[in-house]
Amino acid sequence: MRSPALSQSQHDALSILLACLDDAGVWYRATGGLAGNVHGSRWPLHDIDVDVRKDDWPLVLSAVGDFVETAPRPYEDGECRVVLANAIIEGVSVDIAQLEDAYVQEDGAWVALDADPSRRELHDWSDFSIWAIPLRDLIAYKTRMGRVADLAELRHLL
């Protein structure tokens, strides 16, 4: 049954993305709003965010290459510094970030995020079995980024 947090196009995009990654044997975990939804949040999903391992980029690009709009490249904004690729699947934006070498801005300094690949959990959610960042790790990440609105809902899920 499709989650009410997902539009039909988001559901279809996620289905395609997960099939591509799983079929290629890519390690991944859902992050961002998608991970929040997996953990029970009802906030509207704007895009699909997943982390992948650095060594898996060749597999990732082989698996989702037809959808990639921007190849993996260093990306930085006021909140984070990561290696990021962007894809469009069924009209839905998909951000694929490298687990390693990811940083958040905290008190004027870049602080490395935990790059431990064991930090993921398998969930049955919507119509999917999906790997996601643990809720406590998601809260820690959102806390570092200072996203107050996100935090209120996530803490309620604990």
Side-chain angles (χ1 to χ4, degrees), residues 29-39 41 43-51 79-80 95 103-106 111 113-114 133-158:
R29 69 178 183 190
T31 60
L34 176 58
N37 287 170
V38 168
H39 288 293
S41 169
W43 62 46
L45 195 63
H46 299 289
D47 61 6
I48 294 172
D49 296 304
V50 295
D51 287 342
E79 297 178 330
C80 65
D95 289 338
Y103 301 85
V104 294
Q105 185 75 249
E106 190 174 306
V111 178
L113 292 172
D114 183 4
I133 187 172
L135 180 57
R136 290 188 187 280
D137 292 1
L138 182 60
I139 290 171
Y141 168 73
K142 296 284 188 177
T143 299
R144 285 183 143 176
M145 298 201 49
R147 295 193 177 164
V148 178
D150 295 351
L151 287 169
E153 183 158 352
L154 290 173
R155 287 187 178 130
H156 175 72
L157 297 174
L158 287 175

Side-chain angles (χ1 to χ4, degrees), residues 18-155:
L18 296 181
C20 289
L21 296 177
D22 287 339
D23 289 351
V26 172
W27 179 100
Y28 76 88
R29 69 178 183 190
T31 60
L34 176 58
N37 287 170
V38 168
H39 288 293
S41 169
R42 298 251 188 232
W43 62 46
L45 195 63
H46 299 289
D47 61 6
I48 294 172
D49 296 304
V50 295
D51 287 342
V52 298
R53 293 183 304 194
K54 181 179 185 175
D55 291 345
D56 282 347
W57 276 120
L59 290 173
V60 172
L61 294 175
S62 176
V64 299
D66 291 343
F67 304 106
V68 171
E69 297 282 313
T70 308
R73 83 272 180 220
Y75 171 84
E76 181 178 320
D77 63 17
E79 297 178 330
C80 65
R81 178 188 291 166
V82 296
V83 175
L84 183 70
N86 303 100
I88 303 292
I89 303 175
E90 297 295 308
V92 176
S93 178
V94 178
D95 289 338
I96 305 167
Q98 182 176 298
L99 177 68
E100 303 88 352
D101 305 317
Y103 301 85
V104 294
Q105 185 75 249
E106 190 174 306
D107 298 325
W110 291 108
V111 178
L113 292 172
D114 183 4
D116 181 353
S118 72
R119 304 294 303 156
R120 69 178 186 162
E121 304 169 337
L122 188 61
H123 292 265
D124 288 324
W125 175 76
S126 191
D127 294 336
F128 308 106
S129 286
I130 184 170
W131 290 100
I133 187 172
L135 180 57
R136 290 188 187 280
D137 292 1
L138 182 60
I139 290 171
Y141 168 73
K142 296 284 188 177
T143 299
R144 285 183 143 176
M145 298 201 49
R147 295 193 177 164
V148 178
D150 295 351
L151 287 169
E153 183 158 352
L154 290 173
R155 287 187 178 130

Side-chain angles (χ1 to χ4, degrees), residues 5-15 45-48 92:
L6 295 175
S7 70
Q8 187 62 54
S9 60
Q10 290 168 335
H11 181 273
D12 294 347
L14 186 58
S15 180
L45 195 63
H46 299 289
D47 61 6
I48 294 172
V92 176

